[in-house]
């Protein structure tokens, strides 16, 4: 059959994403991939430099997604299906462009780990993320903020005369447009993916990219890459160079032979072909290869320990196969950001497809022979020169204008194009994609005035790039403008000026709680815990007088209440924390996260038996953060008994 592209709908059991958290993300979120200062000593100079280059300070202007739960019902997901007589690729344009499935027809094999449910979990930089398939990670260290966001999608001409699918968006953490072009030549066993990131600005931009590929793990599944060494990151915030495959008494190329979750960033020699494969006991599985720009390769494994197994069940369905991830990135490790010159671009080609090698060689004791076997088989089915030619053939088509629209992303790119007039051939951001979220900023752009909302509502998102900050500084200084200006100044690192803006806005603000909450965060980070608690208490009082019904207000109540209780407990104002708790609505108090908060509150009230009863009754913290240890820390205050399996999400060895 000739290659076809069609739209379809995939129905899965899933949990709704819920409302975005309306509180601006002034604090950096907890990110597990952070090195202790001492761990940087002795690293290669270029790696150390890129690890220290432009780390993410806040998530602004992106909002946190933490309103999902664990209650699942049928969810219909729009898909784009690319198919020839060899492969069928199923893409989710509404969820970051994730490739959900890559099915090889001749062998009847699914090449990826396909999650049978859609269950958000707190793994992305901004919260909601889900496991499975191939995800495109751009922005900063961690899973992209676009994990659960829609991308633009359309048909464009393919290099072979057919059609390919273009996905594109404006990545807001770094203000960079990018595109992902997927095409499947007739009779090809390999899906080609052309990727381009552009810097349309007048200053150098930090860039992060990793393609993450979920594959089924198994007792005899082995990950093979062209390397004899790797950089091991084990969630204890250290990075060490280790041999491949055997280290510390175990062959780490088998995902289930490690106990704890870990990353292995392979040291692929300069000049060597870039590839990574996951192969079962018979030598069959998936291989990914690319042009040399995509230099890094990595294995992530959950391990066989309790915490890793618990996370596997949490992210999917109990009883289903677990997964590991093989990955490919611009740098050697995911702790690094790579500079992109003004007006420059990074572009490369990836290929994904089946591989069948000699299982005895793949799983033999000779690692060099295993690597050679996979490399030789890859060269037979997809020569390196073929990939280079495919890349060269794609480059002229990267600027091709999209035709038939298949999906629509956000309006933020359109707003930036209107502001700058920048021309981005191949990735248009038309004005018709603007939505209500962008309207206040469009009015500021056109009139110099940020409009007041027409009804009482939590404030909308803030734009923080320098040009928007400049416009806010020259706009009339009404309370809402001062609120947004303070957030933009905070993002720029001018915290003293941000506080002054919020204090000015507070003097005339009809709605005081958003400004008070910003001041509370500033106090906390400045070490003024008592004053932060005062501001939080006042903010929650004001919020309760103003709040209405509706999903936005429920999201604001949960976010502000959670922060306020934590701040009050930190200064031992237990009665005030209880007063906040009592004014939370039942729908919020019943959430698993708030059951955990209630246990902390009961401990502060010297009621350990009541706190223990909450654990015994059972609850699930839907937005438990990757690497978070609150559950085991609270449990340790209640009892010396072992942590029950249902609460064990530990990703590193227990401390002595």
């Amino acid at each position: 059959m000739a290659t076809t592209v069609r739209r379809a709908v995939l129905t899965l059991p899933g949990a709704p994403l819920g409302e975005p958290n309306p509180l601006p993300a002034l604090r950096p979120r907890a990110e597990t991939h952070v090195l202790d200062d001492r761990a940087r000593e002795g690293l290669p100079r270029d790696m150390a430099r890129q690890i220290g280059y432009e780390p993410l300070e806040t998530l602004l202007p992106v909002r946190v997604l933490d309103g999902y739960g664990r209650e699942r019902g049928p969810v219909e997901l729009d898909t784009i299906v690319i198919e020839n007589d060899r492969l069928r690729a199923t893409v989710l344009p509404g969820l970051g462009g994730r490739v959900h499935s890559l099915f090889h027809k001749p062998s009847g094999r699914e090449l990826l780990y396909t999650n049978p449910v859609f269950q958000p979990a707190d793994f992305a930089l901004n919260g909601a993320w889900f496991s499975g398939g191939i995800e495109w990670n751009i922005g900063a260290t961690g899973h992209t903020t676009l994990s659960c966001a829609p991308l633009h999608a359309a048909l464009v001409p393919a290099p072979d005369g057919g059609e390919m699918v273009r996905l594109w968006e404006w990545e807001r953490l770094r203000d960079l447009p990018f595109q992902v072009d997927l095409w499947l030549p007739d009779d090809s066993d390999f899906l080609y993916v052309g990727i381009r990131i552009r810097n349309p600005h007048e200053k150098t931009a930090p860039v992060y990219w990793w393609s993450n590929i979920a594959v089924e793990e198994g007792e005899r599944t082995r990950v093979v890459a062209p390397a004899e060494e790797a950089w091991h990151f084990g969630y204890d915030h250290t990075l060490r160079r280790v041999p491949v495959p055997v280290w510390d008494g175990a062959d780490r190329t088998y995902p289930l032979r490690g106990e704890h979750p870990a990353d292995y960033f392979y040291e692929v020699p300069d000049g060597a072909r870039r590839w990574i494969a996951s192969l079962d006991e018979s030598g069959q599985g998936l291989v990914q290869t690319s042009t040399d720009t995509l230099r890094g390769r990595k294995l992530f494994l959950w391990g066989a320990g309790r915490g890793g197994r618990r996370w596997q069940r949490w992210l999917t369905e109990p009883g289903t196969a677990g997964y590991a991830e093989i990955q490919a990135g611009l740098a050697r490790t995911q702790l690094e950001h790579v500079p992109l010159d003004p007006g420059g671009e990074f572009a490369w080609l990836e290929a994904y497809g089946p591989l069948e090698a000699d299982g005895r060689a793949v799983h033999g004791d000779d690692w060099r022979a295993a690597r050679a076997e996979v490399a030789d088989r890859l060269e037979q089915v997809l020569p390196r020169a073929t990939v280079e030619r495919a890349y060269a053939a794609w480059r002229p088509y990267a600027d091709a204008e999209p035709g038939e629209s298949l999906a629509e992303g956000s309006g933020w790119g359109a707003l930036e194009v209107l502001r700058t007039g920048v021309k981005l051939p191949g990735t248009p951001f038309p004005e018709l994609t603007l939505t209500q979220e962008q309207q206040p900023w469009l009015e500021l752009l056109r009139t110099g005035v940020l409009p007041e909302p027409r009804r009482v509502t939590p404030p909308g998102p803030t734009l923080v790039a320098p040009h928007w900050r400049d416009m806010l500084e020259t706009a009339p200084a009404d309370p809402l403008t001062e609120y947004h200006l303070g957030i933009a100044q905070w993002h720029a690192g001018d915290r003293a000026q941000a506080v002054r803006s919020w204090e000015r806005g507070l003097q005339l603000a009809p709605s005081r709680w958003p400004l008070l909450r910003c001041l509370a965060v500033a106090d906390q980070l400045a070490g003024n815990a008592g004053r932060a608690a005062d501001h939080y208490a006042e903010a929650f009082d004001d919020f309760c007088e103003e709040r209405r019904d509706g999903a936005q207000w429920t999201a604001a109540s949960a976010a502000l209440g959670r922060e306020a209780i934590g701040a009050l407990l930190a200064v031992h104002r237990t009665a005030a924390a209880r007063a906040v708790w009592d004014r939370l609505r039942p729908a919020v108090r019943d959430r698993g996260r708030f059951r955990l908060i209630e246990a902390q509150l009961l401990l502060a009230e010297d009621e350990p038996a009541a706190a223990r009863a909450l654990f015994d009754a059972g609850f699930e913290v839907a937005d438990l953060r990757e690497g978070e240890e609150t559950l085991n820390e609270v449990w340790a205050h209640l009892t010396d008994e072992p942590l029950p399996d249902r609460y064990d999400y530990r990703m590193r060895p227990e401390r002595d």
Side-chain angles (χ1 to χ4, degrees):
M1 63 179 288
T3 300
T4 62
V5 179
R6 58 186 169 86
R7 282 179 281 192
V9 174
L10 174 67
T11 302
L12 295 176
L17 280 173
E19 284 288 314
N21 186 325
L23 304 185
L26 301 177
R27 301 181 188 86
R29 296 204 83 208
E31 168 53 43
T32 57
H33 290 83
V34 177
L35 281 188
D36 291 337
D37 289 339
R38 287 181 300 175
R40 300 188 187 190
E41 298 174 3
L43 296 179
R45 185 173 300 175
D46 63 330
M47 181 187 291
R49 182 173 60 251
Q50 290 185 165
I51 288 174
Y53 173 56
E54 295 283 346
L56 198 65
E57 297 295 336
T58 76
L59 284 176
L60 295 168
V62 177
R63 293 194 148 185
V64 172
L65 297 176
D66 59 4
Y68 51 85
R70 300 282 299 174
E71 295 290 329
R72 297 180 193 149
V75 173
E76 293 187 345
L77 302 176
D78 291 331
T79 70
I80 301 170
V81 180
I82 311 168
E83 185 172 13
N84 66 8
D85 60 351
R86 312 287 294 177
L87 276 182
R88 181 170 63 246
T90 303
V91 182
L92 304 176
L95 294 169
R98 183 85 57 106
V99 179
H100 172 73
S101 167
L102 191 61
F103 183 77
H104 186 234
K105 296 180 181 181
S107 64
R109 294 169 64 92
E110 173 58 56
L111 302 179
L112 304 174
Y113 168 77
T114 59
N115 198 331
V117 302
F118 173 66
Q119 178 55 62
D122 194 1
F123 276 62
L125 286 164
N126 63 329
W129 173 87
F130 64 106
S131 64
I134 306 170
E135 65 171 312
W136 318 111
N137 285 289
I138 182 173
T141 297
H143 292 282
T144 178
T145 61
L146 296 168
S147 293
C148 292
L151 303 189
H152 300 282
L155 292 176
V156 293
D160 62 354
E163 292 180 315
M164 63 182 174
V165 173
R166 174 162 301 156
L167 306 165
W168 75 97
E169 241 311 347
W170 193 280
E171 199 286 313
R172 301 179 67 211
L173 291 179
R174 305 302 195 181
D175 262 338
L176 299 176
F178 72 98
Q179 69 190 77
V180 178
D181 291 354
L182 305 103
W183 82 99
L184 189 55
D186 292 348
D187 301 321
S188 174
D189 280 311
F190 283 83
L191 176 70
Y192 289 151
V193 184
I195 298 172
R196 178 167 64 166
I197 304 169
R198 287 184 276 190
N199 179 9
H201 307 297
E202 296 179 354
K203 61 176 291 187
T204 302
V207 173
Y208 173 93
W209 182 279
W210 281 80
S211 302
N212 289 12
I213 309 132
V215 291
E216 285 194 9
E217 63 180 9
E219 291 291 344
R220 292 284 291 167
T221 296
R222 192 177 206 186
V223 172
V224 186
E228 295 182 349
E229 292 182 306
W231 294 93
H232 168 263
F233 182 86
Y235 296 85
D236 54 357
H237 306 298
T238 61
L239 192 65
R240 59 173 66 90
R241 199 167 191 154
V242 301
V244 176
V246 178
W247 173 63
D248 198 23
D251 188 328
R252 306 296 173 167
T253 60
Y254 291 89
L256 286 174
R257 295 189 185 178
E259 182 178 0
H260 300 285
D263 297 327
Y264 293 92
F265 300 100
Y266 294 114
E267 188 68 67
V268 180
D270 290 340
R273 185 176 184 182
R274 311 285 165 170
W275 57 266
I276 189 168
S278 174
L279 305 174
D280 66 14
E281 59 185 1
S282 67
Q284 297 184 77
L286 172 82
V287 66
Q288 185 271 0
T289 187
S290 72
T291 49
D292 289 353
T293 296
L294 202 66
R295 65 172 298 184
R297 291 299 185 275
K298 172 196 164 185
L299 163 64
F300 166 76
L301 56 90
W302 282 109
R306 292 177 69 201
R309 293 299 92 196
R310 180 61 182 149
W311 273 118
Q312 291 268 27
R313 296 192 298 272
W314 179 255
L315 295 170
T316 180
E317 283 282 83
T320 57
Y323 76 96
E325 286 183 353
I326 56 176
Q327 306 180 12
L330 282 175
R332 279 185 289 189
T333 74
Q334 289 175 328
L335 289 77
E336 302 170 65
H337 299 96
V338 183
L340 178 58
D341 292 336
E345 65 180 43
F346 290 134
W348 64 91
L349 184 89
E350 302 183 44
Y352 296 83
L355 192 74
E356 185 170 350
D358 183 338
R360 292 169 299 176
V362 168
H363 296 282
D365 294 333
D366 188 337
W367 174 241
R368 181 171 297 181
R371 296 192 334 255
E373 166 66 12
V374 177
D376 289 347
R377 293 299 178 101
L378 173 59
E379 188 65 20
Q380 291 170 24
V381 297
L382 186 66
R384 187 177 188 178
T386 300
V387 175
E388 295 290 346
R389 286 195 297 269
Y391 172 71
W394 166 70
R395 288 297 282 135
Y397 290 83
D399 285 346
E401 289 304 313
E404 178 188 348
S405 176
L406 301 174
E408 193 170 283
S410 79
W412 296 113
L415 187 65
E416 290 303 318
V417 168
L418 282 173
R419 184 192 65 80
T420 62
V422 64
K423 304 298 183 184
L424 296 168
T427 55
F429 293 94
E431 192 169 345
L432 58 83
T433 60
L434 293 169
T435 68
Q436 279 300 116
E437 271 197 318
Q438 290 86 43
Q439 287 305 316
W441 300 95
L442 182 62
E443 187 164 338
L444 174 65
L445 178 64
R446 289 175 170 169
T447 69
V449 177
L450 192 69
E452 289 287 337
R454 296 178 181 176
R455 58 189 176 88
V456 177
T457 184
T462 303
L463 295 183
V464 297
H467 39 269
W468 294 107
R469 187 174 73 247
D470 291 344
M471 281 186 262
L472 289 168
E473 286 176 345
T474 57
D478 58 60
L480 183 61
T481 300
E482 295 285 12
Y483 164 80
H484 287 296
L485 174 58
I487 295 170
Q489 290 165 333
W490 183 271
H491 176 264
D494 192 350
R495 296 190 171 186
Q497 189 59 53
V499 168
R500 284 192 287 271
S501 295
W502 293 326
E503 289 175 341
R504 282 196 306 270
L506 198 59
Q507 295 173 16
L508 298 175
S511 178
R512 293 167 52 84
W513 66 267
L515 291 151
L516 287 165
R517 182 265 176 178
C518 289
L519 290 169
V521 174
D523 286 329
Q524 277 185 322
L525 296 180
N528 298 318
R531 192 164 65 186
D534 291 339
H535 277 137
Y536 268 121
E538 188 179 355
F540 198 77
D541 288 344
D542 185 73
F543 173 82
C544 289
E545 292 179 8
E546 186 176 281
R547 69 179 167 187
R548 298 340 190 222
D549 292 329
Q552 272 189 313
W553 288 99
T554 299
S557 178
L560 184 60
R562 175 179 172 179
E563 290 185 11
I565 291 172
L568 291 163
L569 288 179
V571 294
H572 311 293
R573 291 173 55 179
T574 309
R578 173 61 70 180
V580 172
W581 170 268
D582 289 340
R583 284 177 289 171
L584 294 171
R585 289 175 174 166
V588 173
R589 290 202 301 260
D590 288 344
R591 297 180 185 179
R593 169 62 67 178
F594 283 85
R595 289 299 184 198
L596 178 58
I597 290 172
E598 185 181 13
Q600 294 171 297
L601 183 55
L602 287 166
L603 274 173
E605 293 171 332
D606 199 24
E607 296 285 349
R612 172 64 186 265
L614 289 174
F615 275 82
D616 291 343
F619 57 85
E620 292 183 318
V621 182
D623 62 334
L624 193 69
R625 184 72 173 159
E626 179 186 16
E628 183 178 344
E629 299 191 358
T630 312
L631 281 167
N632 46 291
E633 288 169 354
V634 174
W635 179 262
H637 282 93
L638 295 174
T639 177
D640 292 330
E641 297 174 21
L643 182 68
D645 182 67
R646 68 177 302 173
Y647 299 121
D648 191 350
Y649 295 87
R650 290 171 291 192
M651 297 182 70
R652 59 180 178 175
E654 295 183 49
R655 297 186 182 96
D656 294 332

